[in-house]
Amino acid sequence: MDFTAPTADQVLAIKVNAGIDELAAHPRFAAASPDMVEAIVEGIGQFAAGEFAPLNRKGDQEGAKLANGTVTLPDGFAEAYRAYVEQGWNAVAGDEAHGGQGLPFTLAANVLENLGAANMAFSLLPMLTVGAIDALAHHGSPQQQALYLPKLVSGEWSGTMNLTEPQAGSDVGALRTTATPRGDGTWSIKGTKIFITWGEHDLAGNIVHLVLARTPGAPAGSRGISLFVVPKYLVKPDGSLGPRNDLRCVSIEHKLGIMASPTCVMSFGDNDDCIGELIGHENEGLKAMFTMMNSARINVGNQGVQIAERALQQARYYARDRVQSARAGGASREPVAIIEHPDVRRMLLRMRALTEGSRALLYYTAGQVDRGALSDVAAQLRADCLVPMLKAWGTDIGCEVASLGVQIHGGMGFVEETGAAQHYRDARIAPIYEGTNGIQAADLVTRKLGYEQGGVLTSLFAEIAADCADAPELAALAGDCEGIVRWMGAEASLDDRLAGSVPFCTMSAVAVAGWQLQRQARALAGEDTPQAKAKTVVARYFAQHIASEARGLKAQATAGADLFYALDAEALAG
Amino acid sequence: MDFTAPTADQVLAIKVNAGIDELAAHPRFAAASPDMVEAIVEGIGQFAAGEFAPLNRKGDQEGAKLANGTVTLPDGFAEAYRAYVEQGWNAVAGDEAHGGQGLPFTLAANVLENLGAANMAFSLLPMLTVGAIDALAHHGSPQQQALYLPKLVSGEWSGTMNLTEPQAGSDVGALRTTATPRGDGTWSIKGTKIFITWGEHDLAGNIVHLVLARTPGAPAGSRGISLFVVPKYLVKPDGSLGPRNDLRCVSIEHKLGIMASPTCVMSFGDNDDCIGELIGHENEGLKAMFTMMNSARINVGNQGVQIAERALQQARYYARDRVQSARAGGASREPVAIIEHPDVRRMLLRMRALTEGSRALLYYTAGQVDRGALSDVAAQLRADCLVPMLKAWGTDIGCEVASLGVQIHGGMGFVEETGAAQHYRDARIAPIYEGTNGIQAADLVTRKLGYEQGGVLTSLFAEIAADCADAPELAALAGDCEGIVRWMGAEASLDDRLAGSVPFCTMSAVAVAGWQLQRQARALAGEDTPQAKAKTVVARYFAQHIASEARGLKAQATAGADLFYALDAEALAG
């Protein structure tokens, strides 16, 4: 079925949770006027629905195909991508110096939200380009920036991130790809990378690969990694394309979902002639990685919101259309639309609360990132803490909402023709890539928990508890979270913290999302509109049902690690 | 990777939870001696691992294929099925009068558990035959039984259930297929059925379709449904095969999973010459359906256990094999097998506790069914209450464990080549078919809650609370459940009960499963064996983590329906 952008709820979240008006008050974001915001949200929503969404099912069925080293996409992808670039959507948050519109990250998040809800696999192409832009904008030389950024910002060229190798997944420091000086200031790159999203395709004029590699004599582990820009076609000093670089796509993966996103095995330097340029300094590749990581993780958390929205739209359409069984206990024996049955209502309300709650968390996080870019240190620290919550919980609920969508379809949900199953398959990658959700939770209870000796987290939860007097379940959950932070900071061992990290991360995310939904409901409280009425119900449901459920994770968060190591590996794997 | 049957844990569950020795003390089940039980569990485990498991991936990749009205399976399926029949595995629980071994249902459940863990899609073929046997054994005439049962019990012929029509899914009463007297005692069947599992294939000599249809002048709704036996090949009075009946497979579904199980659209009577025989009396088809329902729902709940076991085996192998990252906080910087990391331990322990817990619930339920067959009324009532818990929660945890299995594999989990994704896809059907999990929960809070005015459920939970002094989380959860039953029986409206049905069903199942795990741990308490040590940890984890988490559902179970109807359908689907 068709996709319609959830414009009203997005505008609400951008206003209330990101606080766009406050951002626009700053000269840097002055362009983000209310009119501009609405024009962007409405415009990208219509574009995504009109151009990306109709390709979603076709992309799933036909998929990306590799033949003779070239990856092709189904008919229509090239035209849609061209329209996307020509209409300037890729450039929303790009630096004005490189042809961007200089708008807040919040609005770039909205562009991605709409593209990804319309077509998650396709939206990975612009999403990966963002990472390349971030790395070059922060660490590239002026020449590199001048050569690459304008075309990456416009979207004329696309970008990739080449981290993973077969023996180096979550542990980037284990990578073996090498970079050797060629004597002319450039480097010779040699190695194989796997899981390279949109590593090869024919939609953009050039593909700008960012590649992590080791230089001769580099220290072992993650301190010996450097970052290189390695274009598919070499770029002449005037910006025009030179010959093909010595790199190629060896194969693409046969995956569970996101079929239209080619996941490539890339081989660099088969003929010892793969030319790269160092970005920044040697052995500082990981620092550059961290630059990209926050926005990349937010963008993946965003994918959870996207797939949830798409699955919700499909399920609510089906639930109103499908007539089956009379209402239990009702006077009439006539069958009704299944949306009238209590448990279908439960599923739909849950889907909606998780979707809108994760959206509220997304834009709250994006707004804190934008404040961080305006040198608001407290906001930046808070953003850093929100990122793992959003990435992990956002992608978890993406899977859950897609699964509920399948369930509402009954037997038709298991049949591929309805499309509900595609969302279920597509959603499953997001908890894995860009740092598994376990790694997000570990980041939260180690690095982020250490911020101001736990103070950044405790002040967040204290603020929620104080601001949720009207939602006692949320206040209680926030209190639990604050207590867990204190326990983790004082008594718990590192193992204990890691053992409780995933349940704690979920509890934290639910507390923040529920709080932000309450803020939305309050912002609409004076209005007698369908949106205001629905939001009150959704926020209430979230607090009463979802926050209460999350409190049930407290025992897991605080149980410690002893039981996990009571058996050795052999006995555990019994 | 290979599948190994979890024989030791199955034998434990059959002894402790089903109480097989007590069953064998009854003359009817005297054959179920300890030696026989171990021989069956070991034998079917080896058979399943050796014959069915190697076809699991091939079945997924190649799938069932329809051409010219004939459905074929990949090479090897026919030979494996023939071996299964020849070795007598299909006949374990069949009546001795029809060539069966007359053993308890508990052991038939074990046969299915092993077959399904080895190859879920394939195991649906014998699973559906069980339904046909049940219906004919309880409602068929002596002639019908003599004609069909010996070959169904042996597995030489297979069976199907034909309920669903496009407009009649969960609401069986809405079906339109007709049966018209032919004047010779037989009936002419006409109509289209969908979602017919193994409705057509070439592995068995005949396919015995059980078809629900309406006779002329039948009352509307579910009171006007009759059951017919409609064989693919007509059967002569001497049992030999006659001509092809007028029925055919029109198409097979393209599904998310269980690719080797052909899901057929069946057309009966295209040439007005489809001959069926009435089973039992006119308009009593639904009663016959209910006969099959308990065992069918247990068998689907069993599938949750199966896919969980298979996913667990794959994940624990990978977790020990995959080396990545040093142990956090450890002295060594050398990478370790990922099973050493706390969060991977959490995932594995959770997978194992859910798998073993659902297995304990499965065999506890099966044992109660067997007691019911020995005219133990209290056991039968308890079994009736356990069935929806097992079907719903068992299949939910099948999906969860398969998803955790994907997560443990990281990026490789999303790539089809590892097989982890297949389990994730296969598992997703089980919460849908044989009555969606929402329908199971509705059954629990309406029909089953009504047994002895709630007394059957409250006595179950009281027994758990009293027997779990050593696991306070379980005792507390059982206390919550008992309180919810009392609230549902006294104050709650029908809508309130239905609104809380799914969370209550989950809480109930967790309470029973955790209790049965405790009983296993106690049974092994005196032993100094790896199995005893591991079971103590698994049972403890279940109580501490999973039972505590389930208590977080109490607010949902008791919140009532008002909030679900605060918005009308249009506003909710807004």
Side-chain angles (χ1 to χ4, degrees):
Chain A
M1 58 146 283
D2 291 346
F3 165 72
T4 309
T7 306
D9 201 56
Q10 291 174 338
V11 169
L12 178 68
I14 289 168
K15 284 185 180 166
V16 175
N17 309 114
I20 194 75
D21 292 346
E22 200 180 293
L23 289 171
H26 193 282
R28 173 154 165 201
F29 293 139
S33 64
D35 287 354
M36 174 61 102
V37 169
E38 295 207 9
I40 286 180
V41 177
E42 280 178 20
I44 187 62
Q46 283 172 16
F47 175 83
E51 304 291 329
F52 269 42
L55 298 168
N56 191 45
R57 184 161 165 67
K58 185 178 193 167
D60 184 57
Q61 290 175 311
E62 299 178 23
K65 289 197 167 59
L66 171 69
N68 306 318
T70 302
V71 172
T72 51
L73 277 299
D75 287 348
F77 275 71
E79 294 75 6
Y81 186 71
R82 198 177 314 129
Y84 165 77
V85 171
E86 283 172 1
Q87 293 181 27
W89 294 116
N90 202 63
V92 161
D95 199 323
E96 285 163 300
H98 305 298
Q101 296 184 53
L103 288 161
F105 173 74
T106 294
L107 293 174
N110 184 254
V111 170
L112 278 182
E113 193 203 330
N114 282 293
L115 294 179
N119 192 325
M120 177 172 159
F122 198 177
S123 74
L124 280 159
L125 175 57
M127 190 176 129
L128 266 289
T129 302
V130 170
I133 293 171
D134 277 356
L136 285 162
H138 286 91
H139 304 281
S141 68
Q143 292 87 337
Q144 287 169 340
Q145 293 184 354
L147 216 49
Y148 291 103
L149 281 179
K151 287 185 171 128
L152 286 169
V153 166
S154 72
E156 196 178 333
W157 296 353
S158 75
T160 73
M161 251 337 289
N162 289 251
L163 287 74
T164 307
E165 300 178 10
Q167 79 295 345
S170 299
D171 185 6
V172 176
L175 66 84
R176 294 176 191 153
T177 295
T178 58
T180 318
R182 293 167 60 92
D184 61 353
T186 66
W187 299 73
S188 181
I189 311 295
K190 195 171 179 69
T192 301
K193 296 284 185 177
I194 63 170
F195 295 153
I196 308 309
T197 299
W198 286 90
E200 164 57 27
H201 62 90
D202 60 355
L203 303 192
N206 201 1
I207 303 175
V208 181
H209 299 288
L210 297 198
V211 182
L212 288 178
R214 295 189 174 286
T215 56
S222 59
R223 290 168 306 132
I225 294 171
S226 304
L227 183 65
F228 297 86
V229 56
V230 188
K232 173 179 173 183
Y233 293 101
L234 296 171
V235 183
K236 296 179 188 165
D238 67 356
S240 64
L241 296 185
R244 189 79 149 78
N245 206 349
D246 176 22
L247 60 91
R248 65 194 177 95
C249 171
V250 179
S251 62
I252 61 176
E253 305 293 348
H254 175 216
K255 308 190 298 294
L256 176 61
I258 54 168
M259 303 299 192
S261 169
T263 302
C264 303
V265 175
M266 299 296 300
S267 186
F268 296 90
D270 284 353
N271 304 308
D272 295 324
D273 197 27
C274 179
I275 301 173
E277 277 188 35
L278 183 66
I279 300 179
H281 300 288
E282 266 186 82
N283 301 330
E284 293 188 359
L286 212 66
K287 197 172 82 180
M289 282 296 310
F290 275 103
T291 306
M292 289 174 271
M293 210 169 272
N294 259 3
S295 61
R297 289 178 171 184
I298 294 170
N299 291 342
V300 173
N302 191 339
Q303 294 192 303
V305 184
Q306 295 158 22
I307 206 79
E309 174 66 34
R310 189 68 190 261
L312 169 61
Q313 289 195 14
Q314 173 142 4
R316 72 189 184 198
Y317 172 82
Y318 188 82
R320 293 190 68 187
D321 186 61
R322 170 73 170 171
V323 172
Q324 185 85 160
S325 300
R327 186 83 166 71
S332 165
R333 292 290 78 204
E334 283 301 302
V336 296
I338 62 171
I339 195 172
E340 297 303 340
H341 299 307
D343 190 58
V344 175
R345 292 226 157 196
R346 179 190 66 84
M347 290 193 277
L348 277 174
L349 198 47
R350 185 172 178 97
M351 291 174 78
R352 186 164 172 181
L354 292 171
T355 304
E356 294 183 12
S358 61
R359 178 177 293 124
L361 174 59
L362 165 66
Y363 288 101
Y364 180 60
T365 305
Q368 297 298 308
V369 168
D370 281 322
R371 281 167 184 74
L374 298 175
S375 304
D376 178 340
V377 175
Q380 184 61 55
L381 292 176
R382 180 163 286 188
D384 287 353
C385 290
L386 295 172
V387 167
M389 299 179 200
L390 170 64
K391 196 281 178 182
W393 183 72
T395 60
D396 280 344
I397 71 95
C399 292
E400 182 185 344
V401 172
S403 184
L404 286 167
V406 169
Q407 193 69 18
I408 284 180
H409 282 74
M412 292 307 293
F414 198 69
V415 171
E416 289 284 0
E417 97 189 45
T418 59
Q422 183 191 344
H423 307 319
Y424 183 70
R425 289 186 287 100
D426 286 351
R428 192 61 190 80
I429 185 59
I432 296 171
Y433 58 17
E434 202 53 48
T436 65
N437 286 0
I439 285 176
Q440 305 301 322
D443 175 52
L444 181 63
V445 301
T446 57
R447 193 172 301 113
K448 307 303 165 62
L449 190 91
Y451 282 13
E452 299 178 358
Q453 294 84 49
V456 175
L457 281 170
T458 51
S459 70
L460 169 65
F461 296 124
E463 187 177 344
I464 295 172
D467 196 37
C468 286
D470 50 352
E473 304 90 346
L474 281 167
L477 174 62
D480 288 345
C481 289
E482 192 181 337
I484 293 168
V485 172
R486 294 191 192 284
W487 172 76
M488 284 189 171
E491 300 159 55
S493 70
L494 177 57
D495 274 354
D496 289 341
R497 279 184 277 149
L498 291 169
S501 61
V502 165
F504 170 64
C505 185
T506 302
M507 294 172 73
S508 302
V510 169
V512 181
W515 172 42
Q516 293 299 316
L517 271 182
Q518 290 297 124
R519 291 186 57 221
Q520 289 185 357
R522 275 181 228 146
L524 297 174
E527 297 180 18
D528 182 21
T529 61
Q531 186 187 23
K533 188 169 181 210
K535 189 60 79 177
T536 305
V537 170
V538 167
R540 182 90 282 277
Y541 174 87
F542 194 100
Q544 190 173 20
H545 290 243
I546 297 172
S548 300
E549 182 179 339
R551 294 195 69 198
L553 299 175
K554 185 178 172 184
Q556 290 179 30
T558 56
D562 287 354
L563 197 62
F564 295 6
Y565 291 92
L567 302 173
D568 63 21
E570 191 177 336
L572 173 61
Chain B
M1 57 146 282
D2 290 345
F3 164 73
T4 310
T7 306
D9 202 56
Q10 291 175 338
V11 169
L12 179 68
I14 288 169
K15 284 185 181 166
V16 175
N17 309 115
I20 194 76
D21 293 344
E22 201 180 293
L23 289 171
H26 192 282
R28 172 155 168 199
F29 293 139
S33 65
D35 287 356
M36 174 61 104
V37 169
E38 295 207 10
I40 285 181
V41 177
E42 279 178 22
I44 187 63
Q46 284 172 16
F47 175 84
E51 303 291 331
F52 269 42
L55 298 169
N56 191 45
R57 184 161 164 67
K58 185 178 194 169
D60 185 56
Q61 290 175 311
E62 301 179 21
K65 288 197 169 60
L66 171 69
N68 305 320
T70 303
V71 172
T72 51
L73 278 299
D75 287 348
F77 275 70
E79 294 75 6
Y81 186 71
R82 197 176 314 128
Y84 165 77
V85 171
E86 283 170 3
Q87 294 182 25
W89 294 117
N90 202 64
V92 162
D95 198 321
E96 285 163 299
H98 305 298
Q101 296 185 53
L103 288 161
F105 173 74
T106 293
L107 294 174
N110 184 254
V111 170
L112 277 183
E113 193 202 330
N114 282 293
L115 294 180
N119 192 324
M120 178 173 159
F122 199 176
S123 74
L124 280 159
L125 175 57
M127 189 176 131
L128 266 288
T129 301
V130 170
I133 293 172
D134 277 355
L136 284 162
H138 285 91
H139 304 281
S141 67
Q143 291 86 340
Q144 287 168 342
Q145 293 185 353
L147 216 51
Y148 291 103
L149 280 179
K151 286 179 171 137
L152 286 169
V153 166
S154 71
E156 197 178 330
W157 295 353
S158 76
T160 72
M161 248 340 288
N162 288 250
L163 287 76
T164 307
E165 299 178 11
Q167 79 295 344
S170 300
D171 185 6
V172 176
L175 66 83
R176 292 178 193 151
T177 294
T178 58
T180 317
R182 291 167 60 93
D184 61 352
T186 66
W187 299 73
S188 181
I189 311 295
K190 195 171 178 69
T192 301
K193 296 286 185 175
I194 62 171
F195 295 154
I196 307 310
T197 300
W198 285 89
E200 164 57 28
H201 62 90
D202 60 355
L203 303 192
N206 200 2
I207 303 175
V208 181
H209 299 288
L210 297 199
V211 181
L212 287 178
R214 295 188 177 285
T215 55
S222 59
R223 289 169 306 133
I225 294 171
S226 305
L227 183 64
F228 296 85
V229 55
V230 187
K232 176 178 171 184
Y233 293 101
L234 296 172
V235 184
K236 296 180 189 165
D238 67 355
S240 65
L241 295 186
R244 189 81 148 76
N245 207 348
D246 176 23
L247 60 91
R248 65 196 178 95
C249 171
V250 179
S251 63
I252 60 176
E253 305 292 348
H254 175 218
K255 307 188 299 295
L256 176 61
I258 54 168
M259 303 298 194
S261 169
T263 302
C264 303
V265 175
M266 299 297 297
S267 186
F268 295 89
D270 284 354
N271 304 308
D272 295 323
D273 197 29
C274 179
I275 301 173
E277 276 187 36
L278 182 66
I279 300 178
H281 298 288
E282 267 187 80
N283 301 328
E284 292 188 359
L286 212 67
K287 199 172 83 182
M289 283 295 311
F290 274 104
T291 306
M292 290 175 269
M293 211 170 269
N294 259 4
S295 61
R297 289 179 170 181
I298 294 170
N299 291 342
V300 173
N302 191 340
Q303 293 191 304
V305 183
Q306 295 158 21
I307 205 80
E309 174 66 35
R310 187 69 189 261
L312 170 62
Q313 289 195 15
Q314 173 141 6
R316 73 190 184 198
Y317 173 83
Y318 187 83
R320 294 190 69 187
D321 186 61
R322 170 72 171 172
V323 172
Q324 186 84 164
S325 299
R327 185 82 167 73
S332 165
R333 292 291 78 206
E334 284 300 304
V336 295
I338 62 170
I339 196 173
E340 298 301 341
H341 300 307
D343 190 58
V344 176
R345 292 221 159 200
R346 179 189 65 84
M347 289 191 279
L348 277 174
L349 199 46
R350 185 173 178 95
M351 291 173 79
R352 187 164 172 181
L354 292 172
T355 303
E356 295 184 10
S358 60
R359 178 176 293 123
L361 174 58
L362 165 65
Y363 288 101
Y364 180 59
T365 306
Q368 297 298 308
V369 167
D370 281 322
R371 281 167 184 74
L374 298 175
S375 305
D376 179 338
V377 175
Q380 184 59 55
L381 293 177
R382 181 164 286 189
D384 287 352
C385 290
L386 295 171
V387 167
M389 300 179 199
L390 169 64
K391 195 283 176 179
W393 184 71
T395 59
D396 281 344
I397 73 93
C399 292
E400 182 185 343
V401 172
S403 184
L404 286 166
V406 168
Q407 193 69 17
I408 285 179
H409 282 74
M412 292 308 292
F414 198 69
V415 172
E416 289 283 0
E417 100 191 43
T418 58
Q422 182 191 345
H423 308 319
Y424 182 71
R425 289 186 287 99
D426 286 351
R428 192 61 189 82
I429 186 58
I432 296 171
Y433 60 17
E434 204 52 48
T436 65
N437 285 0
I439 285 175
Q440 305 301 321
D443 176 51
L444 181 63
V445 302
T446 56
R447 194 171 300 114
K448 306 305 165 61
L449 189 92
Y451 281 15
E452 299 178 357
Q453 293 85 48
V456 175
L457 282 170
T458 52
S459 71
L460 169 66
F461 296 125
E463 185 177 345
I464 296 173
D467 195 37
C468 286
D470 50 350
E473 305 89 346
L474 280 167
L477 175 61
D480 288 346
C481 290
E482 193 181 336
I484 293 168
V485 172
R486 293 190 193 285
W487 172 77
M488 284 189 170
E491 299 160 56
S493 69
L494 176 59
D495 273 355
D496 288 341
R497 281 185 275 149
L498 291 169
S501 61
V502 165
F504 170 65
C505 186
T506 302
M507 294 172 73
S508 303
V510 169
V512 181
W515 172 42
Q516 293 299 316
L517 272 182
Q518 290 298 124
R519 292 187 56 221
Q520 290 185 356
R522 276 181 227 148
L524 297 173
E527 298 179 17
D528 183 21
T529 61
Q531 186 188 24
K533 189 171 181 209
K535 188 60 79 176
T536 306
V537 171
V538 167
R540 182 89 282 280
Y541 174 88
F542 194 100
Q544 192 174 18
H545 290 243
I546 296 172
S548 300
E549 182 179 339
R551 294 195 70 198
L553 299 175
K554 185 178 171 183
Q556 290 179 31
T558 56
D562 288 355
L563 198 62
F564 294 8
Y565 291 93
L567 302 174
D568 63 21
E570 190 176 338
L572 173 60

